[in-house]
Amino acid sequence: MRLFPNFRIAPLKGLVKESRGQSSVEFAVGAPVLIFMIFAILYVNDFYIAKEKTLVSARYGSWKLARDANLSGDVKPDILQHYFEGAEGNIEIQDVSDTNPFNAENANTNITGLLSSGVDSVVEFINKVFTDGGHLRYGIRVTYSGQPKLGPFDLAKIGVDPIHVSSAHYVDGNSWDGDNTDVHEVMGLLWETVKGAFQALNDEDVNEEGGEADLEDAELP
Amino acid sequence: MRRFFKLSRDVHNDRGGQAMIVIAIVMFTIVCFLVFTVNVGHRITGKVELQNAADASVQSGAIWNARGLNMISILNVGMTECLALVIMFRAFHKTWQTTLNKVVIACNRAAANACSAIPIVGPAIASAWNALITIAEFAERAIGPAAKAMNRLAKKNGALWKLMDTLETMERGIQYAAPVIALYESDRIAAFNNADGVIDFSLKGENVEAFHAILLPLPIPDGSGTAPMIKEGSFDDICEHTVGDGGHGYEEYLKWKAWFSGQYNALGMDIPMMHIDFLGGPSIQDIFATIYGTVCIGIIPNPGIVYKVYVKVFADSICGGSTSFDAPETVERNTTSCSECDPGKHDITDKKWLRETCEINSSNLKAYNCDKSNACISNAKSPSDGAYEKVKTVTHVMSEDPCKKCILKKWEKEIRNAEGEVVDIKKKYYKTVKTLRWCKYKEKVDEGITPPSKKPKPLMLADDWQDYAKYTVVVKKDVGDRVSIVSADSGGHNAISGFALATAQAEVYNPTEAHLFNQDWQANLKPWKAGDVNLGIGGLNDLPSVIQKAVNEGAKEVIVH
């Protein structure tokens, strides 16, 4: 005896068929998201590769500059050639030697900032005297501007800003060597002393000659 | 069990929402991968940045130590240049004294005049000779003040010796200052590169970023007074690099050819009085040789040679410690000191007094108080017309310095009647106050050429300097996860905080010759070795060796590259 004598199996079979279609729909909806996610992973990966390249190239550039500041003009093409060949248009390289990111903001806000910028000034002065105006700290900032693309999809078209990846590296200029610095300027001080002595001598002579005339010479009693 | 398999089969048969589940699982996995990628990327770049910071930090610190050595080298070279000047000035003065003086010139005049007696060519020779002697006289006047000034600078306790002392003091300051600046700069560079020193003294307050102290064991001078790399040298070290083979030698310093030939520009010096640019850019030797080679042929030794001999003699004497040329010499002194102007003490050659005379009202010269100027009755000079005759003089010394003397004189005039008898004696009293302006006297003094008893000592490299020329730095940086899928309040920043350490080593070296007259000291990164971690900070070198060893060993265990 059947509980539902009029029940027919055919419509149910149709339901099963729909169930199969649903899976396809779910897949159709989910797959692009998954693909986007995979693109996102690649994208993030690219981002970090770019970040690392900027880090390493900034270090390369600043150390090179610190070795020989005369290379200032050569460092940028060098970085482009060694690290960003084919992507030169996306790279901006700044010479940030002697820019002090902390002093500007800290000098006004706290005592350690003041102290620090004060000591920096002294150190910078010492450096300037002995490097013939060379920088104290050499720095290179490399900025990579990437198009926001997820695989084939250009997100710029929907108003996403370009991505900037920037790294800076600072190092002190390599030591003053006799070739690059005019160390004998120090000896200029010595010569100034000698000249001063000559001058003092001349002044003394003038004083002796210009002495007051006495009224009358007399024998010592 | 059968029921389980049936259930399982049922679930598999029910394919409604099946893809959704799979997609959710896959998506979760991919999200995990995404986060993983971000965090690994963040950590890797963070660590690269950290290592970069460590390298830059130690390099910068080491560089300032190298600069310290360069500074000391520059000052050492300065000391050699001072010593060269001393030798040069003394030789110049001595040559001037012995060859270019009035006696020699007079001698030449006489010889020139004698020449004129030679028939036919005599007068022509004499007039040419006299013209040259006139040039020599001019040179004598021009060079004289320069020679005297040089002598003043070079003599014992003269400015040049004092300058050497000053340079030495500066060196001693630099050996302390350089490591401190290195420490500071090393920390600053770490901060510039987004890392911190390990020991952080900063007030962790609002907006406080600056002034961390970094663990950078630098060879700061300890109790011995010199930095571990450095030892106190001796005066001989300066000598060696001035007159010996060790340095450029005085031969180069002592020639002032720079303005003419561009050579020998060791000092870049320019002496106004030496600009005699005839007969080819002259050195001092050349000047003397020119004057005497043409003016005084055969009569006196060639001053160019005399100068060279004196340079050699003075160099040997000063550097060899010999006193053979330390003979006293006569100098003329100028003074306003009353006691020095006493003819009983010195041979006074010239003097100047200011005299003020007035007539006074007194009958007792001995008791008269010279200081009372109101005793003057009229400003008058002492009588000198012969009417009065000086009968008595009394001198009071009023004050010692400046010398003030009061001379009281009694004058008398006899009044006679027609018979010539003395009927009265008129008396007048005068006071003369003499104030000393100056006097000149000659004195034999020790103007010796030997250096002062405390000879300047340069700082030199210690024998084991290489053990202390290696610097280690340790920096830290937060390189925690960028994104966390566990913690809710990540805020996108360092959800799981975790700092990492990085260390680097650098060494100071000299690519040419390692000594402290060479300003070529540089710094470079070196491969990290635990054995090179030098904890000789402050007085730590003085700790018992057991503790020091333990600290060193501990450091080796902790610091892993």
Short mmCIF file of all heavy atoms in Angstrom, two decimals, chain B residues 459-484:
data_model
loop_
_atom_site.label_atom_id
_atom_site.label_comp_id
_atom_site.label_asym_id
_atom_site.label_seq_id
_atom_site.Cartn_x
_atom_site.Cartn_y
_atom_site.Cartn_z
N LEU B 459 100.57 60.37 18.45
CA LEU B 459 99.94 59.08 18.74
C LEU B 459 100.26 58.14 17.58
O LEU B 459 100.20 58.52 16.42
CB LEU B 459 98.43 59.24 18.88
CG LEU B 459 97.96 60.01 20.11
CD1 LEU B 459 96.45 60.09 20.13
CD2 LEU B 459 98.46 59.36 21.39
N MET B 460 100.63 56.93 17.92
CA MET B 460 100.99 55.97 16.89
C MET B 460 100.10 54.74 17.00
O MET B 460 99.41 54.55 17.99
CB MET B 460 102.46 55.55 17.05
CG MET B 460 103.43 56.71 17.04
SD MET B 460 103.43 57.61 15.49
CE MET B 460 104.26 56.43 14.43
N LEU B 461 100.15 53.90 15.99
CA LEU B 461 99.37 52.67 16.01
C LEU B 461 99.98 51.69 17.01
O LEU B 461 101.20 51.52 17.05
CB LEU B 461 99.40 52.01 14.64
CG LEU B 461 98.34 52.41 13.63
CD1 LEU B 461 98.45 51.49 12.43
CD2 LEU B 461 96.95 52.33 14.22
N ALA B 462 99.11 51.06 17.78
CA ALA B 462 99.61 50.03 18.67
C ALA B 462 100.00 48.81 17.82
O ALA B 462 99.54 48.65 16.70
CB ALA B 462 98.54 49.64 19.67
N ASP B 463 100.87 47.99 18.39
CA ASP B 463 101.36 46.85 17.61
C ASP B 463 100.22 45.89 17.26
O ASP B 463 100.19 45.31 16.19
CB ASP B 463 102.45 46.10 18.41
CG ASP B 463 103.64 47.01 18.65
OD1 ASP B 463 103.85 47.92 17.83
OD2 ASP B 463 104.34 46.82 19.67
N ASP B 464 99.28 45.75 18.22
CA ASP B 464 98.19 44.80 17.98
C ASP B 464 96.91 45.53 17.56
O ASP B 464 95.81 45.13 17.93
CB ASP B 464 97.93 43.98 19.25
CG ASP B 464 97.64 44.88 20.45
OD1 ASP B 464 97.88 46.10 20.34
OD2 ASP B 464 97.16 44.37 21.47
N TRP B 465 97.09 46.60 16.78
CA TRP B 465 95.92 47.42 16.45
C TRP B 465 94.86 46.65 15.70
O TRP B 465 93.67 46.92 15.82
CB TRP B 465 96.35 48.64 15.62
CG TRP B 465 96.88 48.32 14.26
CD1 TRP B 465 98.16 48.02 13.95
CD2 TRP B 465 96.15 48.25 13.04
NE1 TRP B 465 98.28 47.78 12.61
CE2 TRP B 465 97.06 47.91 12.02
CE3 TRP B 465 94.82 48.46 12.69
CZ2 TRP B 465 96.68 47.76 10.69
CZ3 TRP B 465 94.45 48.31 11.37
CH2 TRP B 465 95.37 47.96 10.39
N GLN B 466 95.26 45.64 14.93
CA GLN B 466 94.28 44.93 14.12
C GLN B 466 93.27 44.17 14.97
O GLN B 466 92.15 43.95 14.53
CB GLN B 466 95.00 43.98 13.17
CG GLN B 466 95.46 44.71 11.91
CD GLN B 466 96.37 43.89 11.04
OE1 GLN B 466 97.30 43.28 11.55
NE2 GLN B 466 96.11 43.88 9.75
N ASP B 467 93.69 43.83 16.19
CA ASP B 467 92.74 43.13 17.07
C ASP B 467 91.58 44.04 17.45
O ASP B 467 90.51 43.57 17.86
CB ASP B 467 93.45 42.67 18.35
CG ASP B 467 94.51 41.63 18.04
OD1 ASP B 467 94.51 41.14 16.89
OD2 ASP B 467 95.33 41.34 18.92
N TYR B 468 91.81 45.34 17.36
CA TYR B 468 90.78 46.28 17.83
C TYR B 468 90.14 47.05 16.69
O TYR B 468 89.38 47.97 16.91
CB TYR B 468 91.40 47.27 18.83
CG TYR B 468 91.99 46.58 20.02
CD1 TYR B 468 93.35 46.30 20.08
CD2 TYR B 468 91.17 46.17 21.07
CE1 TYR B 468 93.89 45.64 21.17
CE2 TYR B 468 91.70 45.51 22.16
CZ TYR B 468 93.06 45.25 22.20
OH TYR B 468 93.58 44.60 23.27
N ALA B 469 90.46 46.67 15.47
CA ALA B 469 89.95 47.42 14.33
C ALA B 469 88.68 46.79 13.76
O ALA B 469 88.27 47.10 12.67
CB ALA B 469 91.03 47.50 13.25
N LYS B 470 88.09 45.88 14.55
CA LYS B 470 86.88 45.22 14.05
C LYS B 470 85.69 45.62 14.92
O LYS B 470 85.77 45.65 16.13
CB LYS B 470 87.08 43.71 14.10
CG LYS B 470 88.26 43.26 13.25
CD LYS B 470 88.46 41.77 13.32
CE LYS B 470 89.60 41.33 12.42
NZ LYS B 470 90.93 41.60 12.99
N TYR B 471 84.63 45.95 14.24
CA TYR B 471 83.46 46.48 14.96
C TYR B 471 82.24 45.61 14.66
O TYR B 471 82.05 45.15 13.53
CB TYR B 471 83.20 47.92 14.53
CG TYR B 471 84.43 48.77 14.66
CD1 TYR B 471 85.24 49.01 13.57
CD2 TYR B 471 84.80 49.27 15.89
CE1 TYR B 471 86.39 49.74 13.70
CE2 TYR B 471 85.94 50.01 16.04
CZ TYR B 471 86.74 50.25 14.94
OH TYR B 471 87.89 50.97 15.07
N THR B 472 81.45 45.41 15.68
CA THR B 472 80.25 44.60 15.53
C THR B 472 79.04 45.45 15.90
O THR B 472 79.11 46.25 16.82
CB THR B 472 80.30 43.39 16.47
OG1 THR B 472 81.54 42.72 16.27
CG2 THR B 472 79.15 42.45 16.20
N VAL B 473 77.99 45.26 15.18
CA VAL B 473 76.78 45.98 15.52
C VAL B 473 75.63 44.99 15.52
O VAL B 473 75.62 44.00 14.80
CB VAL B 473 76.55 47.13 14.51
CG1 VAL B 473 76.01 46.62 13.21
CG2 VAL B 473 75.63 48.18 15.10
N VAL B 474 74.69 45.22 16.43
CA VAL B 474 73.48 44.41 16.48
C VAL B 474 72.30 45.36 16.44
O VAL B 474 72.24 46.30 17.23
CB VAL B 474 73.42 43.56 17.77
CG1 VAL B 474 72.17 42.71 17.77
CG2 VAL B 474 74.66 42.70 17.89
N VAL B 475 71.43 45.13 15.51
CA VAL B 475 70.24 45.99 15.44
C VAL B 475 68.99 45.12 15.49
O VAL B 475 69.02 43.92 15.22
CB VAL B 475 70.22 46.84 14.15
CG1 VAL B 475 71.37 47.81 14.13
CG2 VAL B 475 70.25 45.95 12.93
N LYS B 476 67.91 45.76 15.88
CA LYS B 476 66.66 45.00 15.95
C LYS B 476 65.57 45.72 15.19
O LYS B 476 65.64 46.93 14.95
CB LYS B 476 66.26 44.78 17.41
CG LYS B 476 65.70 45.99 18.12
CD LYS B 476 65.12 45.56 19.46
CE LYS B 476 64.29 46.65 20.10
NZ LYS B 476 65.06 47.74 20.67
N LYS B 477 64.57 44.95 14.81
CA LYS B 477 63.47 45.53 14.06
C LYS B 477 62.29 44.60 14.21
O LYS B 477 62.43 43.38 14.29
CB LYS B 477 63.87 45.64 12.59
CG LYS B 477 62.82 46.23 11.68
CD LYS B 477 63.35 46.21 10.25
CE LYS B 477 62.26 46.52 9.25
NZ LYS B 477 61.73 47.87 9.36
N ASP B 478 61.13 45.22 14.24
CA ASP B 478 59.93 44.41 14.34
C ASP B 478 59.58 43.88 12.96
O ASP B 478 59.32 44.64 12.05
CB ASP B 478 58.79 45.28 14.89
CG ASP B 478 57.72 44.42 15.51
OD1 ASP B 478 57.54 43.30 15.01
OD2 ASP B 478 57.10 44.86 16.48
N VAL B 479 59.65 42.58 12.81
CA VAL B 479 59.31 42.01 11.50
C VAL B 479 58.17 41.00 11.65
O VAL B 479 58.14 39.96 11.02
CB VAL B 479 60.53 41.33 10.84
CG1 VAL B 479 61.54 42.36 10.43
CG2 VAL B 479 61.15 40.32 11.78
N GLY B 480 57.22 41.36 12.50
CA GLY B 480 56.09 40.46 12.74
C GLY B 480 55.20 40.36 11.52
O GLY B 480 55.40 41.01 10.51
N ASP B 481 54.13 39.50 11.67
CA ASP B 481 53.21 39.31 10.54
C ASP B 481 52.50 40.60 10.21
O ASP B 481 52.16 41.40 11.08
CB ASP B 481 52.18 38.25 10.89
CG ASP B 481 52.81 36.87 10.91
OD1 ASP B 481 53.90 36.75 10.32
OD2 ASP B 481 52.24 35.97 11.54
N ARG B 482 52.27 40.75 8.95
CA ARG B 482 51.57 41.93 8.48
C ARG B 482 50.06 41.73 8.66
O ARG B 482 49.34 42.62 9.07
CB ARG B 482 51.89 42.14 7.00
CG ARG B 482 51.14 43.25 6.33
CD ARG B 482 51.83 44.56 6.58
NE ARG B 482 51.10 45.65 5.93
CZ ARG B 482 51.42 46.91 6.07
NH1 ARG B 482 52.44 47.24 6.84
NH2 ARG B 482 50.74 47.84 5.47
N VAL B 483 49.62 40.56 8.34
CA VAL B 483 48.19 40.27 8.43
C VAL B 483 48.01 39.02 9.27
O VAL B 483 48.79 38.08 9.17
CB VAL B 483 47.61 40.01 7.02
CG1 VAL B 483 46.12 39.73 7.11
CG2 VAL B 483 47.89 41.17 6.10
N SER B 484 47.00 39.06 10.12
CA SER B 484 46.73 37.87 10.90
C SER B 484 45.31 37.42 10.63
O SER B 484 44.39 38.23 10.54
CB SER B 484 46.91 38.18 12.38
OG SER B 484 46.42 37.10 13.13
#
